[in-house]
Amino acid sequence: MIASSRDMRGAAWRWLVALCVLALLASACGGDDDTGDGGSPPATSAPSQDSQDAQDPQPSDSQDEQPVEQESRDADEESPEPTAAPTLPDEEPPPSEPDEIYGGTLVFALESETSGGWNPITTSAATSGHIVLRQLYDPLVIEGADGEAIPFLLESFSSNDDYTEWTFTLRQGITFHDGSPVNSAALVRHMEELSRGTLARLAIEEASMQSYEAVDDLSVKITLGRTFVDFPLGFTSAGGFLGAPAMYDLGNDSPRNPIGTGPFMLEQWDEHEVTRLVRNPNYWRTDAEGRQLPYLDAIEFRPIEDDEARFNTLRAGDVDASVDNGGRRVEEYNEDFKAYWQEDKYTATTSVLMNTTRPPFDNVEIRRALAQCTDRQTLNTVLWDGQPPATGPFSPGTPGYLEDSGFPDYDPDAGRAVFERLGAPSFDITTTVTTLDLLQAELLVQMWGECGLDVGIDQMLQTEAVTTAVFGNFAVFVAVNHSGYSLAMERFWWHSGYSPPPPVPAINFGRVADPRIDAALDEVITTDDEQRQRELAEEVNRAFAEGVYNIWLYHSRWLIAAQDHVNGVDNLTLPEGEEHPKIFLGRVFLAEVWLDDS
């Protein structure tokens, strides 16, 4: 087990070791000092203790229930005639014959089910939901490796000089899964549906969208009531997944009948068991060699909520690939599987988020005292191989990162004194049902108990936890969020305009209302100066530290772990050859995954 960077008292070590023994398998308490690269080639570098040193962060109704096949490489449909095998980045071409890259079924373990279904406008999707959605739909826009917006389903976007009028132009010749054309009428209908969505309409309101009208068969002009420099980045996620008008016509039945443009189509959805997607034979994209995508005949997604069970399922060979977001098994993943890690930059941050609209956390003194009673380095020693504590919402290398943001240091005596003076509150910590999250909650409860607090643990399924957060039905909530990719896009999470009092739903889960944060978020949408955007992000970071709205724990690097016969997990050929961040927030495109015969 890697030692903390500070000396720890014997009592702290006793409860730490006890919890490891009770909650984990022997190997789950961490690894050796050197995490290593392992025996299988990772797509990107695996996380290590020193990574922080680089300073420059959810067709027809589901079928009758059928057993999921165990053989993941059986071809399910007729495969196209390929011409050559793909060359993977930094690897030699696979030795197999070209036709062997096509066909087969990938079995993929997810960390949660998306019970709201597959209409991206109406569902509430965490990372696992977004993985499925990215196979069913294409985003209008995609994130570039350097923080820029890149047209994807769009051929182009452009604006007037003050960024109040935008023209979105779609690519020619693309069809939806039902054969209907992707055109400006479909995009206008999509905008109309966004304006009616419970949370999706926030994007329309945020940009003060005045109108959207078809200019020609492929172009739509969007007029805003305010300057919004990063407006296209709002269409990289669920709001940008273009659905067919026929899907929206289905109303309440649309979540079970997704009709997108993506490389795969829904064949079967047995909730909490399997979501089976099959190849879209008319998909519009090709790989770098000009070959038709996707390679696979089908993907079967299996939701396995518990991280221990998910890892053991992968280790037993019952699935081909799995998603994870924890650092307790770095060595095992690197040595036993192909480990595709998200890069350090633009990583999400795990934090304790406090509900500022009700006691006790409407009091900044209480919030600061709770932070002072949180031994974040000890927690990170268990959960992320000793990663230094996060100093704010932005990871190293991301605009807004500060080595010292002014966030309170670990000082349990100072925290305890505040609780003795103001009274020690009792509350529950809300978290999900995984082994990792239970261990994390138990560590926090133990730390806070040593400061005289009486804290319980309220575990629930991930989808239920998201709903609880949206409606503000919590005191303390463990959240994973904020990639820092665009400060303007963080407005939904942090601006006071999105913090109505419960029970009104809000994306600003903690109901943060801070004038400094609001001012920075108001300005950042008006400037395209990168240096000024960085300065504003740093100001937000300092304001979060002073207000102690979150207790920043660690930067989460998402992982896709795959068996040796799975190839190309992090491949994504963009239409004009641009670069996209690999395994971005755990959300991957699987159109270029292929399986070999070994």
Side-chain angles (χ1 to χ4, degrees):
M1 184 175 293
I2 300 171
S4 167
S5 61
R6 65 167 59 87
D7 291 334
M8 287 186 287
R9 297 172 297 178
W13 277 114
R14 282 194 296 274
W15 59 254
L16 174 59
V17 173
L19 283 174
C20 284
V21 171
L22 291 172
L24 301 173
L25 298 174
S27 60
C29 285
D32 296 332
D33 288 352
D34 181 8
T35 58
D37 293 327
S40 299
T44 56
S45 60
S48 67
Q49 299 177 77
D50 299 326
S51 64
Q52 298 283 334
D53 293 341
Q55 304 302 334
D56 298 346
Q58 255 29 284
S60 57
D61 290 336
S62 59
Q63 310 291 315
D64 292 337
E65 200 168 301
Q66 300 175 6
V68 178
E69 296 178 1
Q70 297 298 314
E71 290 297 324
S72 64
R73 297 184 293 282
D74 291 340
D76 297 287
E77 297 177 356
E78 227 176 57
S79 299
E81 290 294 330
T83 57
T87 299
L88 303 180
D90 301 322
E91 294 183 12
E92 293 298 320
S96 57
E97 293 297 322
D99 60 349
E100 294 182 3
I101 69 171
Y102 282 92
T105 296
L106 177 75
V107 181
F108 195 110
L110 299 173
E111 62 168 358
S112 66
E113 177 62 277
T114 303
S115 57
W118 309 114
N119 179 338
I121 292 178
T122 61
T123 195
S124 178
T127 291
S128 288
H130 279 278
I131 291 175
V132 178
L133 289 169
R134 285 197 171 198
Q135 318 318 315
L136 293 168
Y137 302 89
D138 293 305
L140 295 168
V141 178
I142 196 170
E143 307 90 347
D146 296 321
E148 74 276 26
I150 297 175
F152 194 77
L153 197 57
L154 294 179
E155 181 178 73
S156 66
F157 53 77
S158 60
S159 74
N160 60 357
D161 290 342
D162 66 356
Y163 302 99
T164 59
E165 185 177 290
W166 291 83
T167 300
F168 283 10
T169 301
L170 294 155
R171 298 182 187 276
Q172 295 184 17
I174 302 176
T175 58
F176 290 104
H177 295 157
D178 64 353
S180 61
V182 172
N183 56 23
S184 56
L187 182 52
V188 167
R189 176 65 183 277
H190 179 72
M191 294 294 183
E192 292 171 348
E193 294 297 324
L194 279 174
S195 68
R196 287 192 281 265
T198 302
L199 294 177
R201 71 168 182 266
L202 294 178
I204 305 295
E205 296 172 354
E206 173 60 30
S208 187
M209 196 177 296
Q210 305 295 303
S211 65
Y212 31 87
E213 58 182 345
V215 176
D216 55 36
D217 191 50
L218 293 174
S219 299
V220 172
K221 183 176 73 174
I222 304 169
T223 303
L224 311 181
R226 68 194 308 174
T227 295
F228 206 122
V229 171
D230 279 349
F231 180 68
L233 284 173
F235 296 90
T236 59
S237 190
F241 291 142
L242 189 64
M247 180 186 77
Y248 298 132
D249 289 343
L250 295 172
N252 292 336
D253 290 332
S254 63
R256 302 200 71 90
N257 296 275
I259 308 174
T261 63
F264 296 93
M265 305 177 293
L266 182 66
E267 181 182 78
Q268 174 187 358
W269 180 31
D270 294 336
E271 195 170 340
H272 299 294
E273 293 184 15
V274 62
T275 300
R276 179 179 169 85
L277 311 184
V278 296
R279 186 178 191 273
N280 174 8
N282 300 310
Y283 189 50
W284 62 279
R285 284 179 53 231
T286 60
D287 66 11
E289 302 289 333
R291 290 177 291 254
Q292 176 72 36
L293 294 174
Y295 299 144
L296 295 168
D297 285 335
I299 305 174
E300 292 180 357
F301 291 107
R302 300 182 188 174
I304 304 175
E305 296 267 356
D306 184 71
D307 55 295
E308 290 289 325
R310 195 165 58 253
F311 174 81
N312 289 332
T313 301
L314 180 69
R315 184 168 56 184
D318 293 333
V319 297
D320 300 309
S322 176
V323 63
D324 202 358
N325 180 32
R328 296 177 298 129
R329 297 186 179 276
V330 171
E331 282 195 9
E332 289 175 273
Y333 277 125
N334 288 341
E335 292 175 0
D336 298 340
F337 306 100
K338 289 182 177 178
Y340 299 85
W341 294 94
Q342 179 178 351
E343 297 175 355
D344 293 6
K345 194 176 182 181
Y346 302 131
T347 63
T349 303
T350 295
S351 69
V352 175
L353 184 153
M354 293 164 279
N355 190 337
T356 66
T357 62
R358 67 187 194 191
F361 300 113
D362 55 348
N363 185 331
V364 66
E365 278 195 272
I366 295 291
R367 297 196 299 268
R368 183 176 295 109
L370 191 67
Q372 291 171 324
C373 288
T374 307
D375 187 349
R376 299 180 293 145
Q377 185 61 70
T378 294
L379 185 139
N380 289 2
T381 295
V382 176
L383 301 179
W384 264 105
D385 283 352
Q387 178 190 130
T391 63
F394 309 116
S395 57
T398 303
Y401 171 78
L402 293 169
E403 187 174 0
D404 182 5
S405 64
F407 188 81
D409 291 329
Y410 177 53
D411 189 348
D413 292 336
R416 192 179 299 110
V418 171
F419 294 131
E420 289 174 352
R421 176 167 55 86
L422 297 180
S426 298
F427 57 91
D428 287 344
I429 179 170
T430 300
T431 189
T432 65
V433 297
T434 70
T435 301
L436 171 65
D437 285 351
L438 177 58
L439 171 60
Q440 185 167 250
E442 288 175 336
L443 288 168
L444 291 168
V445 167
Q446 179 69 35
M447 294 171 186
W448 298 340
E450 292 184 357
C451 277
L453 304 183
D454 179 17
V455 184
I457 299 174
D458 185 11
Q459 280 196 291
M460 56 187 69
L461 295 176
Q462 190 173 89
T463 51
E464 184 183 356
V466 171
T467 301
T468 296
V470 165
F471 285 95
N473 298 325
F474 69 95
V476 164
F477 185 86
V478 177
V480 185
N481 214 333
H482 313 308
S483 69
Y485 192 84
S486 165
L487 181 62
M489 293 300 106
E490 301 287 5
R491 289 176 60 84
F492 302 103
W493 305 105
W494 295 338
H495 198 284
S496 65
Y498 298 102
S499 60
V504 179
I507 297 181
N508 182 341
F509 295 157
R511 270 66 175 184
V512 173
D514 187 300
R516 290 170 62 189
I517 295 175
D518 283 355
L521 294 173
D522 287 339
E523 182 180 344
V524 76
I525 64 173
T526 69
T527 178
D528 57 6
D529 184 292
E530 292 184 6
Q531 179 57 34
R532 183 55 183 159
Q533 290 176 342
R534 180 182 297 272
E535 292 169 353
L536 291 168
E538 291 173 354
E539 175 68 6
V540 167
N541 199 347
R542 295 187 184 96
F544 263 103
E546 183 177 322
V548 201
Y549 303 110
N550 296 62
I551 301 174
W552 309 111
L553 301 178
Y554 51 87
H555 300 298
S556 305
R557 290 183 62 189
W558 285 92
L559 163 73
I560 306 297
Q563 308 287 359
D564 285 344
H565 61 269
V566 180
N567 305 279
V569 168
D570 64 345
N571 281 5
L572 175 62
T573 302
L574 298 185
E576 276 70 54
E578 305 95 335
E579 289 296 317
H580 168 66
K582 306 299 184 183
I583 321 297
F584 183 64
L585 301 181
R587 305 169 185 181
V588 290
F589 294 86
L590 301 174
E592 294 178 62
V593 168
W594 59 281
L595 309 174
D596 62 33
D597 291 332
S598 59

